[in-house]
Amino acid sequence: MDPIATQIVTDVTGRMDKSVQHLADQLRTIRTGRAAPVLLEGVRVESYGTMLPLNQIANISVPEPRSLLVKPFDTSLLKEIDRAIQGANLGLTPINEGKQIRLQMPPLSEEQRKKLVAKVKEICETSRVALRNERRDGNKAADGAAKDGKISDDFKAEVHGEIQDALKKGEAKIDELLKKKTAEVMEG
């Protein structure tokens, strides 16, 4: 294949892979009823005048299946950590135990599980749209290169086909992530 055509396909597939990886990262932060340190990944705490991720100022562990334990490296930050967790709207109430904070995971009701599954589906659909946008942009780039005489019409058709194949692979990965996360949320 022509180097320009190869570059277009490489760029598009790289962006599609990043979109799928971003989806996987987003889905990891959705609560399933089991305790996991990744649930606190987005929590940022004001520490000495700067906002830092919680995992940089505290050790987060899972002592029991339905609880998290946050042990700050500096106990003077307990109130800030407590405030940050409450402000993150995770549906968790921090219990300050003096030198550490315990988070109990309340069991999810059937209705809450269904809402979470709907949210997961919505996030996955947004990722599908992102993949389709990447396909459109890649096809436009191939069309433009063919119009400018940089690649032949045969290469343009080949680029369109490879981009479509990459889209199908990306959508299959999204479907797999959706199925896995739905099962995880509903099993609790």
Side-chain angles (χ1 to χ4, degrees):
M1 191 186 307
D2 183 85
I4 294 173
T6 303
Q7 186 61 46
I8 292 170
V9 171
T10 303
D11 290 347
V12 170
T13 54
R15 289 194 306 265
M16 285 182 176
D17 290 344
K18 285 181 183 175
S19 292
V20 172
Q21 184 58 50
H22 178 70
L23 169 66
D25 293 343
Q26 278 185 301
L27 292 180
R28 276 201 331 254
T29 63
I30 293 178
R31 205 178 112 198
T32 60
R34 284 197 193 126
V38 74
L39 294 173
L40 300 175
E41 205 169 79
V43 177
R44 298 182 66 78
V45 181
E46 185 171 338
S47 171
Y48 309 111
T50 57
M51 296 300 282
L52 294 172
L54 179 58
N55 62 3
Q56 288 185 8
I57 60 169
N59 186 22
I60 303 167
S61 60
V62 184
E64 301 162 15
R66 290 202 177 269
S67 69
L68 288 171
L69 202 57
V70 180
K71 292 183 182 178
F73 304 130
D74 179 359
T75 55
S76 68
L77 295 172
L78 272 171
K79 287 184 180 177
E80 291 296 327
I81 293 171
D82 189 324
R83 193 175 304 129
I85 292 171
Q86 287 180 6
N89 291 328
L90 300 172
L92 303 173
T93 305
I95 302 165
N96 190 331
E97 297 179 342
K99 293 187 178 186
Q100 62 192 13
I101 292 178
R102 184 174 301 274
L103 300 163
Q104 288 298 125
M105 305 290 294
L108 295 171
S109 68
E110 191 68 23
E111 184 179 327
Q112 289 171 317
R113 291 179 191 282
K114 288 178 181 176
K115 284 181 182 177
L116 283 175
V117 167
K119 182 178 178 182
V120 168
K121 286 179 181 177
E122 183 181 316
I123 293 169
C124 288
E125 188 55 37
T126 301
S127 291
R128 280 191 189 91
V129 170
L131 290 184
R132 291 180 195 128
N133 288 340
E134 294 300 339
R135 174 187 61 187
R136 181 197 63 218
D137 294 346
N139 287 342
K140 277 185 181 178
D143 293 344
K147 184 179 177 186
D148 295 343
K150 294 179 182 174
I151 62 173
S152 69
D153 286 341
D154 290 343
F155 283 136
K156 179 181 90 168
E158 195 174 328
V159 168
H160 283 269
E162 288 195 29
I163 290 173
Q164 184 64 30
D165 290 345
L167 174 72
K168 287 179 182 175
K169 287 177 186 171
E171 286 182 332
K173 288 177 187 174
I174 289 173
D175 290 341
E176 185 181 314
L177 288 169
L178 171 64
K179 183 178 175 185
K180 183 179 173 187
K181 191 63 177 188
T182 300
E184 200 177 295
V185 168
M186 294 307 287
E187 84 178 15

